[in-house]
């Protein structure tokens, strides 16, 4: 168990016993949004051409209902989610021998919840939410930096742009991979059906 004062990653659970509540295990594995160890996650949606679409996103937070991420409403992933509200997310911690894969349903969170996350983002990420546009991307690099600097200096306080949106990935399956430097890696795979979780141990 991770206890108060324990650095994330020092708790490598080597037990093969399945847990009764895999969502609680997911919360234990993922650090909170304000941690320096907050991970990037590979987010996979279904592209408009029917092929998988993959990119990395920040995990904004996690709780017993799922994983949260935030993005620009004009992005391709939002269009893909609107057409087919399912996704998979994979997070890896090579330094501690862990991977987590979550598959499930994507739900939009309220504007109020999204704004609260925006307020907790770094100044750089707050600026990026405003400045990450197609028009700016097509400017020469020096011009992009000038426009960025001017916007930064003229907006000491930033509220989220209207296109800032948040989503929850509500898990239907959870797979916890544990490496073992002295032996075989294993996976705990859990599936939600009829409101109850069932699990099995699989080869890594």
């Amino acid at each position: 168990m991770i206890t108060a004062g324990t650095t994330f990653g020092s708790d490598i659970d080597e037990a093969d016993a399945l847990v009764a509540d895999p969502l609680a295990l997911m919360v234990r594995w993922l650090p909170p949004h304000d941690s320096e160890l907050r991970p990037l996650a590979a987010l996979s949606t279904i592209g408009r051409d029917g092929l998988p679409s993959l990119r990395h996103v920040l995990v904004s937070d996690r709780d017993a209902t799922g994983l949260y991420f935030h993005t620009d409403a004009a992005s391709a992933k939002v269009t893909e989610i609107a057409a087919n509200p399912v996704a998979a997310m994979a997070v890896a911690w090579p330094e501690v021998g862990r991977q987590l894969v979550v598959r499930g349903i994507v739900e939009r969170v309220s504007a109020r919840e999204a704004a609260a996350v925006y307020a907790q983002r770094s100044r750089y990420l707050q600026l990026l939410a405003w400045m990450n546009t197609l028009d700016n991307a097509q400017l020469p690099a020096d011009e992009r930096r000038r426009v960025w600097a001017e916007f930064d200096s003229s907006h000491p306080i930033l509220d989220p742009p209207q296109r800032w949106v948040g989503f929850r990935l509500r898990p239907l399956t959870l797979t916890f991979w544990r490496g073992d430097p002295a032996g075989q890696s294993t996976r705990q795979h859990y599936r939600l059906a009829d409101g109850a979780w069932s699990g099995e141990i699989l080869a890594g």
Side-chain angles (χ1 to χ4, degrees):
M1 297 287 293
I2 297 177
T3 57
T6 300
T7 301
F8 172 78
S10 63
D11 166 46
I12 301 179
D13 186 355
E14 297 177 346
D16 287 332
L18 295 170
V19 299
D21 186 354
L23 290 172
L25 180 59
M26 179 192 75
V27 170
R28 290 209 334 259
W29 270 35
L30 282 147
H33 69 84
D34 56 354
S35 168
E36 293 181 358
L37 298 170
R38 180 179 60 180
L40 279 173
L43 176 70
S44 178
T45 53
I46 299 174
R48 287 174 290 177
D49 56 4
L51 295 174
S53 182
L54 183 69
R55 78 289 285 163
H56 283 82
V57 298
L58 276 176
V59 179
S60 299
D61 210 347
R62 79 284 186 264
D63 62 23
T65 66
L67 301 176
Y68 296 80
F69 61 95
H70 292 74
T71 189
D72 191 314
S75 66
K77 55 184 168 294
V78 173
T79 300
E80 293 162 359
I81 288 168
N84 199 342
V86 296
M89 188 179 284
V91 190
W93 300 269
E95 67 277 7
V96 295
R98 291 183 180 181
Q99 295 181 51
L100 170 65
V101 178
V102 182
R103 298 165 64 238
I105 305 299
V106 182
E107 305 167 338
R108 183 118 166 221
V109 304
S110 70
R112 183 176 180 179
E113 290 175 288
V117 169
Y118 181 86
Q120 295 162 348
R121 287 283 166 97
S122 68
R123 174 68 177 178
Y124 173 82
L125 291 178
Q126 288 182 345
L127 287 165
L128 186 63
W130 279 95
M131 304 303 292
N132 190 29
T133 67
L134 179 60
D135 287 345
N136 286 346
Q138 294 176 344
L139 295 173
D142 288 346
E143 182 67 7
R144 287 200 308 272
R145 292 171 185 139
R146 184 191 65 77
V147 170
W148 178 290
E150 287 184 355
F151 186 87
D152 185 12
S153 63
S154 61
H155 294 81
I157 298 175
L158 286 172
D159 293 321
Q162 288 188 348
R163 62 181 187 270
W164 172 260
V165 292
F167 295 92
R168 175 197 296 111
L169 174 58
R170 189 180 291 275
L172 295 177
T173 71
L174 289 154
T175 305
F176 301 85
W177 179 92
R178 292 177 173 86
D180 184 349
Q184 178 184 337
S185 59
T186 58
R187 288 178 292 154
Q188 289 188 9
H189 179 69
Y190 298 88
R191 181 180 299 275
L192 181 65
D194 299 324
W197 288 99
S198 60
E200 58 183 332
I201 302 294
L202 301 174

